[in-house]
Amino acid sequence: MKEVGRQPVAMQYISHYDSPLGQILLAADDAGLTGLWFEKQRYFALHLDKIHEERETEFIADAKKWLDVYFSGQNPDFQVPLHIQGSAFYQEVSAIMLSIPYGSTMTYGEIAAAIAERRSIPKMSARAVGGAVGHNEISIIVPCHRVVGAAGNLTGYGGGIERKIRLLELEGADMSRFFIPRRGTAL
């Protein structure tokens, strides 16, 4: 453990993974996987501690095995222990993303409606959901690539729209209703 101010903070560890879609940086602490980013993606390693150590921990090794299975075109039959950090809202959105089945998609509006229902409130902002999805720290394993616009528009993937398409195709998602908007945040 290292100390920040007077509060001890768990050390973060990093390792690299060569995927068919480019180099990936993995991060973990003693509680689970904390990050999975494609090199040079938007918000790359945004919350990675400046002081970290390059070491393949058990959680990172598990993530690499998961990615090996995933990139072979199969749905991994095990879950990597995750340490999702952030606001209660971000964690709620992440939990819903984790529930989206392999090869399926969900819209930002559907996630917003699910949160509104859980909170017993009349409405939740799909735009707020989009902000949380766009800042996902654990790409692929927390499948933000499975979140799409209501009309079928493929937007909001920090790793780039081409990777989002390739990930959905790898999972065998029905791509016939999706399109790339001419303007958008993930282009």
Side-chain angles (χ1 to χ4, degrees):
M1 289 224 167
K2 63 181 181 176
E3 297 228 359
V4 175
R6 294 182 180 226
Q7 295 181 322
V9 175
M11 171 64 96
Q12 281 191 316
Y13 305 97
I14 64 163
S15 187
H16 300 273
Y17 178 85
D18 290 321
S19 87
L21 302 181
Q23 181 85 191
I24 289 175
L25 177 67
L26 297 160
D29 61 16
D30 294 330
L33 194 70
T34 59
L36 189 161
W37 307 273
F38 284 105
E39 295 280 336
K40 300 179 184 170
Q41 80 171 48
R42 190 170 13 147
Y43 308 121
F44 176 77
L46 184 64
H47 295 110
L48 179 64
D49 290 342
K50 289 188 185 347
I51 300 172
H52 52 269
E53 183 179 321
E54 181 118 10
R55 181 184 340 154
E56 186 161 316
T57 67
E58 181 181 342
F59 299 128
I60 289 174
D62 287 346
K64 287 181 176 182
K65 287 177 199 162
W66 191 98
L67 290 167
D68 287 343
V69 172
Y70 180 83
F71 283 117
S72 76
Q74 299 175 44
N75 183 10
D77 62 356
F78 64 98
Q79 182 62 338
V80 176
L82 304 176
H83 185 193
I84 297 172
Q85 301 171 37
S87 70
F89 178 72
Y90 175 77
Q91 292 195 27
E92 200 170 2
V93 171
S94 295
I96 292 171
M97 286 191 289
L98 282 165
S99 75
I100 304 170
Y102 181 89
S104 299
T105 59
M106 190 172 206
T107 68
Y108 298 95
E110 288 170 332
I111 294 174
I115 292 172
E117 183 177 329
R118 287 179 182 185
R119 293 182 175 190
S120 298
I121 58 176
K123 190 174 181 182
M124 172 57 65
S125 166
R127 186 170 288 219
V129 167
V133 171
H135 284 83
N136 180 18
E137 291 285 316
I138 308 174
S139 293
I140 306 172
I141 294 175
V142 177
C144 55
H145 62 278
R146 296 180 190 153
V147 182
V148 300
N153 46 323
L154 297 173
T155 63
Y157 191 63
I161 200 73
E162 290 304 319
R163 283 190 181 123
K164 182 171 190 157
I165 291 168
R166 299 243 339 251
L167 292 169
L168 290 170
E169 288 174 341
L170 178 70
E171 294 181 14
D174 177 6
M175 301 298 288
S176 64
R177 67 182 188 94
F178 299 129
F179 67 95
I180 301 171
R182 291 179 189 238
R183 289 192 268 182
T185 59
L187 301 179

